[in-house]
């Protein structure tokens, strides 16, 4: 139990589908993140939210759309994805936005996404 | 932008052998963190180093932060099969609003 819960754990979707990944953190943290992890690539930071405001968007294609309705919940809306978007999507949280030195990141168990 | 490289990418050892992974940043860091990801799992925080030249130990794991705060290492003494996984360093740049950049990771395989 990490304190960061992601659903679904596995998702298979077609290129024309619309789906969403959900993340909930029970740690009372103020910052939440979406990372993408592909084979043979380092963890890629996608989005950062601090106190429900997006503070970072690392040139992520618009087919990925984040939503942070409150400090405990984070969504990643997916539409018209490509097969190369297949990856492990990790949600994470930290006490404050990691712009503050020394924050550690708590990861969820991830959502394995396969685009067919 | 900041880059954090790790070597080796992969290492296979026999149980009982030692293992070391090295982390190098293109920029000076304010702190460095280490995470472990078991196969099929998610990264889990291990430790944070902040001071130049700092050395910390966790049982068989020894972590070092370089004097120039641009590199770090993780050394495992007498590996066990439970050490299997990918070890990531993550460096935080100096300055405000600084990102935490994950390294490329070192995958460790331990066999009997």
């Amino acid at each position: 139990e990490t304190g960061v819960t992601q659903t679904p754990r596995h998702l298979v979707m077609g290129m024309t589908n619309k789906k969403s990944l959900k993340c909930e953190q029970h740690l009372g943290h103020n910052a939440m993140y979406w990372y993408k992890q592909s084979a043979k690539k380092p963890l890629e930071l996608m989005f950062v939210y601090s106190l429900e405001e997006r503070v970072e968007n690392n040139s992520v294609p618009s087919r990925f759309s984040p939503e942070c309705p409150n400090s405990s919940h984070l969504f990643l809306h997916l539409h018209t994805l490509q097969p190369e978007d297949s990856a492990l999507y990790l949600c994470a949280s930290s006490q404050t936005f990691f712009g503050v030195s020394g924050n550690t990141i708590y990861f969820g168990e991830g959502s394995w996404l396969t685009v067919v | 932008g900041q880059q954090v490289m790790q070597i080796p990418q992969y290492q296979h050892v026999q149980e009982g052998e030692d293992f070391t992974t090295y982390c190098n940043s293109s920029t000076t860091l304010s702190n460095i963190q280490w995470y472990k990801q078991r196969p099929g799992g998610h990264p889990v925080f291990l430790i944070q180093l902040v001071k130049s030249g700092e050395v910390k130990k966790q049982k068989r794991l020894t972590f070092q932060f370089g004097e120039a705060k641009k590199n770090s290492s993780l050394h495992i003494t007498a590996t066990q099969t439970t050490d299997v996984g990918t070890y990531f360093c993550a460096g935080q740049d100096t300055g405000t609003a600084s990102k935490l950049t994950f390294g490329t990771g070192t995958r460790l395989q331990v066999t009997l």
Side-chain angles (χ1 to χ4, degrees):
Chain A
E1 181 61 46
T2 70
V4 181
T5 305
Q6 288 186 242
T7 55
R9 295 293 314 282
H10 298 270
L11 177 63
V12 179
M13 61 185 288
M15 289 190 282
T16 57
N17 290 160
K18 286 186 181 182
K19 297 285 184 183
S20 296
L21 305 181
K22 178 183 174 182
C23 177
E24 182 175 0
Q25 58 97 359
H26 314 276
L27 300 169
H29 289 167
N30 292 320
M32 295 187 77
Y33 313 83
W34 280 115
Y35 282 87
K36 177 183 178 183
Q37 188 174 37
S38 310
K40 300 181 181 178
K41 281 190 175 182
L43 282 161
E44 299 173 67
L45 179 63
M46 299 175 73
F47 300 103
V48 182
Y49 278 83
S50 178
L51 296 171
E52 300 141 51
E53 285 192 26
R54 189 190 305 183
V55 296
E56 187 131 354
N57 173 2
N58 280 356
S59 303
V60 179
S62 59
R63 56 186 184 270
F64 295 92
S65 174
E67 179 190 358
C68 187
N70 55 62
S71 60
S72 299
H73 293 85
L74 186 64
F75 295 89
L76 187 62
H77 303 300
L78 317 168
H79 63 99
T80 59
L81 295 192
Q82 305 296 313
E84 60 264 29
D85 295 322
S86 299
L88 176 66
Y89 288 85
L90 289 158
C91 174
S93 71
S94 61
Q95 184 62 51
T96 57
F97 167 49
F98 58 38
V100 176
S101 180
N103 261 305
T104 59
I105 308 291
Y106 294 80
F107 286 91
E109 295 181 339
S111 294
W112 287 95
L113 173 66
T114 303
V115 181
V116 297
Chain B
Q2 179 193 25
Q3 292 188 354
V4 180
M5 303 298 294
Q6 280 182 254
I7 54 170
Q9 283 190 336
Y10 171 76
Q11 186 147 11
H12 183 176
V13 301
Q14 300 243 307
E15 191 176 47
E17 292 181 337
D18 292 355
F19 160 77
T20 305
T21 172
Y22 300 91
C23 177
N24 294 289
S25 169
S26 57
T27 59
T28 302
L29 302 170
S30 65
N31 69 83
I32 195 154
Q33 301 173 15
W34 285 91
Y35 292 78
K36 176 184 178 181
Q37 184 174 20
R38 294 182 188 273
H42 58 279
V44 175
F45 172 78
L46 292 176
I47 208 162
Q48 177 182 269
L49 303 169
V50 179
K51 299 177 184 175
S52 168
E54 188 171 12
V55 178
K56 285 189 176 180
K57 292 192 175 185
Q58 286 181 351
K59 297 183 181 178
R60 295 177 293 103
L61 278 60
T62 302
F63 304 84
Q64 286 190 310
F65 201 7
E67 295 289 340
K69 300 183 79 172
K70 293 184 74 173
N71 55 71
S72 182
S73 65
L74 158 58
H75 179 80
I76 303 179
T77 304
T79 54
Q80 300 176 358
T81 54
T82 53
D83 296 324
V84 165
T86 300
Y87 292 86
F88 293 96
C89 63
Q92 186 160 29
D93 222 343
T94 55
T96 59
S98 51
K99 278 201 264 190
L100 189 68
T101 302
F102 278 83
T104 46
T106 295
R107 187 160 71 92
L108 172 64
Q109 179 64 30
V110 181
T111 52
L112 295 170

